[in-house]
Amino acid sequence: MEWLNTYAFPRETAHLDSDAATKEYTKLCNRLVAHGTTTVLIFGTIYKEACQRLALCLQAQGLRGFVGKVCMDRQSPDGYSEATSDSLADTEAFIKWVQQLHDNKIHAVVTPRFVPTCTPELLQGLGQLAAHFDTPIQSHISESFDEVEYSSALHPDNTGGDTALFDRAGLLRQRAVMAHGTCLTDPELKVLGQRGTALAHCPLSNFFFGDRVLHVRHAMRLGVKIGLGTDVAGGYSPSMLNAMRSCVIASRALCMSHYATASPHSQAPAPPQTEPTPNRQNLTGVATVASAEPGNSFCIPAPESRKEIQAANLLDWKGAFWLATVGGAQALGLEKTCGTLEVGKAFDALRVDTRHAAAFDVFPADTPMDIFQKFVNLGDDRNIKAVWVGGKLVHHKAS
Amino acid sequence: MEWLNTYAFPRETAHLDSDAATKEYTKLCNRLVAHGTTTVLIFGTIYKEACQRLALCLQAQGLRGFVGKVCMDRQSPDGYSEATSDSLADTEAFIKWVQQLHDNKIHAVVTPRFVPTCTPELLQGLGQLAAHFDTPIQSHISESFDEVEYSSALHPDNTGGDTALFDRAGLLRQRAVMAHGTCLTDPELKVLGQRGTALAHCPLSNFFFGDRVLHVRHAMRLGVKIGLGTDVAGGYSPSMLNAMRSCVIASRALCMSHYATASPHSQAPAPPQTEPTPNRQNLTGVATVASAEPGNSFCIPAPESRKEIQAANLLDWKGAFWLATVGGAQALGLEKTCGTLEVGKAFDALRVDTRHAAAFDVFPADTPMDIFQKFVNLGDDRNIKAVWVGGKLVHHKAS
């Protein structure tokens, strides 16, 4: 909440001036397309007019855009909050306004900010609107220890976490995309999977705000659809390439957290072992390790544990690329429209130039896969020479 | 070792052709200076002639360069290994060759690759050469679980880890810089601190090869000097800006590992507590937490534990910038020469243009500190318009 009060809320409040909003949104759209983003799922502000400007900016840029008017009717600062009825009325008006654009690339998204800033009445009303107009839904869910604690304190009788609160309001369904989910329990993940609700994995943001990273492969094993996001603002980078890199690193950080509780190997001399107990990460065993004198040794997880942990958790650059393309399309219910290059799908594509690349060197021995990997790990907007969305050229740079 | 055998050794072997080496080193030097690097500590290959080419490329670029002829006389592949006597003779010849350049910005560095590829005789001989010629030293130390296990297997009677092996050979002293050190125990870190030996923190490389990240602030509390490195190759990026970003993320990943073993908070319903036991991370207590049914709850470390963990471990972008400048200068014994902009020091500096920046937007409300932060988090070589080393302009781009 400290970050919201210091940065997000004041910045969003400035968008009461729709012209100022247009200026910033135009810059944002330029950045997004330059970085090769073709489809955007995005929170606007609580102001309907600013959200309309955002939709128009995305439209002008030619992007595929899913835009939400943010809803928040409590735990919000003076001057940046809504009455429940206004929030619902403006959301409905925004949905209708987007519908009359008759642009199959621009969609309105029902957008409760997150549990702490929404009354149960608002959540309920938004669920009904989403069902009535059959819109996508977006929010944040179980983002951090702080958020879970805050949410629990506001709903002392609720034992099912953010998931139960959203579910009761009808906000978990196909084309609902919840950001983060780093603190979801297994039963909550299973509910998301059953409802067809997706998670937006925003690894860089998680590092800064989540206190945890999403257990991507674990969540997918429980049936949850996952797409990759930047959460630009929460994370500092608007680049999906950067999100892919952060995604790989997050999976490695996850392994490190598992090593910290995995069964130990020979380097810890005769540690006092506790009985292996099950834990939520589905490891074969957990042992607390400590030498008589702290720091004289360190715990090396046994090689078998490490292999098991890595097999269960690691994502490499190809996995990250999948999440950024196919995963994102699945999350938004667009898997028949885009996400891969196939006959019958829309032509959403980038032309990537690695020969005149400013960001990395290509050597004669590099295979096409090596070059692709270099682009994912080191490339940037300089390599992206052209961007198409739905067959239309929306960005172009001279070589 | 798998990575060394697949990528590093074949690539280095190609540098037997000194002209080919020069081509690659020239590209590398161009990249480094374009990314704003002013001082380089670098491993060459085992070939003296290639290392001379590397020194000449750094000199031609005007960089401050510390170059090591790599030494390895065992556990090395056929065709890329040395006899102990040849390794020592070539190192001595390389040192003398660099000395006759009479360039106070170019230095030879005694460079055992790492413990597994060096016999005790080679380490001993290199320690004597470093003492005799008063050169800096560089190597890798306790980089990963795998390396520690390999090293232990080769030296079954050694109980002090890589540190004891290097120390017995006289390789730990002022201006010795050891890369990684992610698996060092507290007593080993204290030895490094006492000897004046520094660690090169290479966070991106650690994520991929270390299985752990360096506990930077813990090591500093034990008296170890630390500079920031890219380990370009182990990590994919040659950019110190990227290393700074990875450094911040690594400190956050470290916190996550600590949370995994920290004392739990209310979200875990009545967990079976074990007695708190000390662990090497200096937390107040550790408890193993598991609910009756795995996955039904998750462990939230108590807020006080979180604060304590963060206070002890987190590095922000300013801390990362310090490690990349002052920390690096201290590691190389250059703190009186460079690392800060002060009267009496060499003018090692960048001109950073954030107005015509291609990499990020600056808004009117941004303070100078905001803009500086944006450069560290989002900037790239496009922002770096000029680079000076020792008062000499070594890189320049039109605005």
Side-chain angles (χ1 to χ4, degrees), chain A residues 3-4 7-9 11-12 15 24-25 27-33 35 37 39-45 54 58 63 66 70 113 138 140 143 179-180 200-206 208-209 228-244 246, chain B residues 359-361 363 374 377-378:
Chain A
W3 181 82
L4 288 172
Y7 295 98
F9 291 155
R11 196 76 237 120
E12 291 177 28
H15 288 189
E24 291 195 10
Y25 288 143
K27 282 195 177 190
L28 176 67
C29 290
N30 290 341
R31 284 276 164 210
L32 290 172
V33 76
H35 283 288
T37 296
T39 298
V40 185
L41 172 68
I42 192 165
F43 283 57
T45 69
L54 175 53
L58 289 164
L63 288 167
F66 293 78
V70 176
R113 182 173 212 114
Q138 64 182 338
H140 305 84
E143 176 176 359
H180 312 307
H201 175 40
C202 307
L204 187 58
S205 174
N206 292 164
F208 284 94
F209 294 94
L228 192 63
T230 58
D231 188 27
V232 51
Y236 44 71
S237 173
S239 160
M240 284 299 282
L241 289 168
N242 194 68
M244 291 180 222
S246 302
Chain B
F360 56 87
D361 291 307
F363 294 98
K374 284 188 178 187
N377 280 335
L378 288 165

Side-chain angles (χ1 to χ4, degrees), chain B residues 63-385:
Chain B
L63 287 166
R64 198 182 296 287
F66 293 78
V67 180
K69 190 211 87 65
V70 176
C71 298
M72 43 196 274
D73 67 345
R74 73 159 163 182
Q75 308 297 327
S76 308
D78 289 345
Y80 194 62
S81 184
E82 308 169 292
T84 310
S85 55
D86 292 344
S87 188
L88 292 171
D90 280 1
T91 297
E92 182 167 353
F94 179 64
I95 294 169
K96 288 179 173 169
W97 179 87
V98 172
Q99 284 180 338
Q100 59 75 37
L101 289 177
H102 297 295
D103 183 335
N104 66 5
K105 290 197 293 183
I106 304 292
H107 306 267
V109 184
V110 162
T111 308
R113 180 171 214 116
F114 68 151
V115 165
T117 61
C118 299
T119 59
E121 297 69 40
L122 178 59
L123 294 177
Q124 206 70 39
L126 290 173
Q128 287 163 4
L129 282 177
H132 180 73
F133 290 100
D134 191 24
T135 67
I137 294 162
Q138 63 183 339
S139 191
H140 304 84
I141 194 166
S142 300
E143 176 176 358
S144 66
F145 300 139
D146 286 351
E147 192 270 332
V148 168
E149 285 169 334
Y150 196 11
S151 187
S152 297
L154 289 171
H155 301 274
D157 297 333
N158 174 54
T159 56
D162 287 357
T163 301
L165 294 164
F166 280 132
D167 201 28
R168 273 199 289 280
L171 289 164
L172 302 183
R173 36 184 282 170
Q174 297 287 336
R175 298 204 297 154
V177 182
M178 298 286 154
H180 312 307
T182 54
C183 294
L184 291 168
T185 62
D186 287 3
E188 288 182 278
L189 289 167
K190 283 177 191 162
V191 170
L192 263 57
Q194 285 157 6
R195 303 289 184 271
T197 295
L199 286 174
H201 176 39
C202 307
L204 188 58
S205 174
N206 293 163
F207 275 119
F208 284 93
F209 294 94
D211 297 320
R212 285 161 69 89
V213 291
L214 180 65
H215 303 193
V216 174
R217 295 181 58 177
H218 181 65
M220 290 179 82
R221 281 191 292 273
L222 295 182
V224 183
K225 292 183 279 195
I226 300 185
L228 191 62
T230 57
D231 189 26
V232 50
Y236 44 70
S237 173
S239 159
M240 284 298 283
L241 289 167
N242 193 68
M244 291 180 223
R245 294 161 204 164
S246 302
C247 174
V248 173
I249 290 174
S251 80
R252 293 191 167 266
L254 192 57
C255 288
M256 289 178 200
S257 290
H258 288 319
Y259 296 148
T261 53
S263 57
H265 192 42
S266 57
Q267 288 299 310
Q273 298 260 347
T274 59
E275 277 299 297
T277 50
N279 83 340
R280 74 185 300 269
Q281 314 308 348
N282 301 326
L283 298 185
T284 47
V286 177
T288 303
V289 180
S291 66
E293 195 181 331
N296 270 5
S297 66
F298 78 99
C299 172
I300 297 190
E304 281 313 307
S305 294
R306 299 206 291 275
K307 275 185 203 160
E308 200 181 326
I309 289 168
Q310 290 177 3
N313 294 289
L314 275 192
L315 283 164
D316 66 5
W317 65 275
K318 292 179 195 172
F321 183 77
W322 188 94
L323 287 173
T325 51
V326 182
Q330 288 179 353
L332 290 164
L334 292 174
E335 64 271 27
K336 291 182 181 164
T337 305
C338 58
T340 57
L341 293 171
E342 283 175 89
V343 174
K345 288 194 180 181
F347 186 67
D348 286 15
L350 314 182
R351 184 158 64 79
V352 176
D353 185 348
T354 59
R355 292 163 307 159
H356 308 94
F360 56 87
D361 291 307
V362 172
F363 294 98
D366 288 336
T367 65
M369 198 57 100
D370 289 337
I371 299 171
F372 184 24
Q373 184 176 5
K374 284 188 178 187
F375 171 64
V376 170
N377 280 335
L378 288 165
D380 62 31
D381 50 305
R382 283 172 283 195
N383 299 108
I384 297 169
K385 297 298 184 185

Side-chain angles (χ1 to χ4, degrees), chain A residues 164-230:
Chain A
L165 293 164
F166 280 131
D167 201 29
R168 273 199 289 279
L171 290 164
L172 301 183
R173 37 184 280 169
Q174 297 286 336
R175 297 204 297 155
V177 182
M178 298 286 153
H180 312 307
T182 54
C183 294
L184 291 168
T185 63
D186 286 3
E188 289 183 277
L189 289 168
K190 284 176 191 163
V191 170
L192 262 57
Q194 285 157 7
R195 303 289 183 271
T197 295
L199 287 173
H201 175 40
C202 307
L204 187 58
S205 174
N206 292 164
F207 275 118
F208 284 94
F209 294 94
D211 297 320
R212 285 161 69 89
V213 292
L214 180 65
H215 302 194
V216 173
R217 295 182 59 178
H218 181 65
M220 290 179 81
R221 281 191 291 273
L222 295 182
V224 183
K225 291 183 279 194
I226 300 185
L228 192 63
T230 58

Side-chain angles (χ1 to χ4, degrees), chain A residues 24-354:
Chain A
E24 291 195 10
Y25 288 143
T26 302
K27 282 195 177 190
L28 176 67
C29 290
N30 290 341
R31 284 276 164 210
L32 290 172
V33 76
H35 283 288
T37 296
T38 52
T39 298
V40 185
L41 172 68
I42 192 165
F43 283 57
T45 69
I46 67 171
Y47 309 120
K48 187 187 64 181
E49 291 72 19
C51 295
Q52 292 171 348
R53 299 295 186 103
L54 175 53
L56 293 173
C57 288
L58 289 164
Q59 191 180 41
Q61 191 79 59
L63 288 167
R64 200 181 295 285
F66 293 78
V67 180
K69 190 211 88 66
V70 176
C71 298
M72 43 195 273
D73 67 344
R74 73 159 163 183
Q75 309 298 327
S76 308
D78 289 345
Y80 194 63
S81 185
E82 308 169 291
T84 310
S85 56
D86 291 344
S87 188
L88 292 170
D90 280 1
T91 297
E92 182 167 355
F94 179 64
I95 294 169
K96 288 179 173 168
W97 179 87
V98 172
Q99 285 180 338
Q100 60 74 37
L101 289 177
H102 297 294
D103 182 334
N104 66 7
K105 290 197 292 182
I106 303 292
H107 306 267
V109 184
V110 161
T111 308
R113 182 173 212 114
F114 67 152
V115 165
T117 61
C118 299
T119 60
E121 296 69 39
L122 178 58
L123 295 177
Q124 206 70 39
L126 291 173
Q128 287 163 3
L129 282 176
H132 180 73
F133 290 99
D134 191 24
T135 68
I137 295 161
Q138 64 182 338
S139 192
H140 305 84
I141 194 167
S142 300
E143 176 176 359
S144 66
F145 300 139
D146 286 351
E147 192 269 334
V148 168
E149 285 170 333
Y150 195 12
S151 187
S152 297
L154 289 170
H155 302 275
D157 297 333
N158 173 54
T159 57
D162 286 356
T163 302
L165 293 164
F166 280 131
D167 201 29
R168 273 199 289 279
L171 290 164
L172 301 183
R173 37 184 280 169
Q174 297 286 336
R175 297 204 297 155
V177 182
M178 298 286 153
H180 312 307
T182 54
C183 294
L184 291 168
T185 63
D186 286 3
E188 289 183 277
L189 289 168
K190 284 176 191 163
V191 170
L192 262 57
Q194 285 157 7
R195 303 289 183 271
T197 295
L199 287 173
H201 175 40
C202 307
L204 187 58
S205 174
N206 292 164
F207 275 118
F208 284 94
F209 294 94
D211 297 320
R212 285 161 69 89
V213 292
L214 180 65
H215 302 194
V216 173
R217 295 182 59 178
H218 181 65
M220 290 179 81
R221 281 191 291 273
L222 295 182
V224 183
K225 291 183 279 194
I226 300 185
L228 192 63
T230 58
D231 188 27
V232 51
Y236 44 71
S237 173
S239 160
M240 284 299 282
L241 289 168
N242 194 68
M244 291 180 222
R245 294 162 203 165
S246 302
C247 174
V248 173
I249 290 174
S251 80
R252 293 191 167 266
L254 192 57
C255 288
M256 289 178 200
S257 291
H258 288 319
Y259 298 149
T261 54
S263 57
H265 193 41
S266 57
Q267 287 299 310
Q273 298 261 347
T274 60
E275 276 299 296
T277 51
N279 83 340
R280 73 185 303 268
Q281 313 309 348
N282 300 326
L283 298 185
T284 47
V286 177
T288 302
V289 180
S291 65
E293 194 183 332
N296 270 6
S297 66
F298 77 99
C299 171
I300 296 191
E304 280 313 307
S305 295
R306 298 205 292 273
K307 275 184 204 161
E308 200 180 326
I309 289 168
Q310 290 177 2
N313 295 289
L314 274 192
L315 284 164
D316 66 5
W317 65 275
K318 292 179 195 171
F321 183 76
W322 188 95
L323 287 173
T325 51
V326 182
Q330 287 180 353
L332 289 164
L334 292 174
E335 64 272 27
K336 290 182 182 164
T337 306
C338 57
T340 56
L341 292 171
E342 284 176 88
V343 174
K345 288 193 179 181
F347 186 68
D348 287 15
L350 314 183
R351 184 158 64 80
V352 176
D353 185 347
T354 60

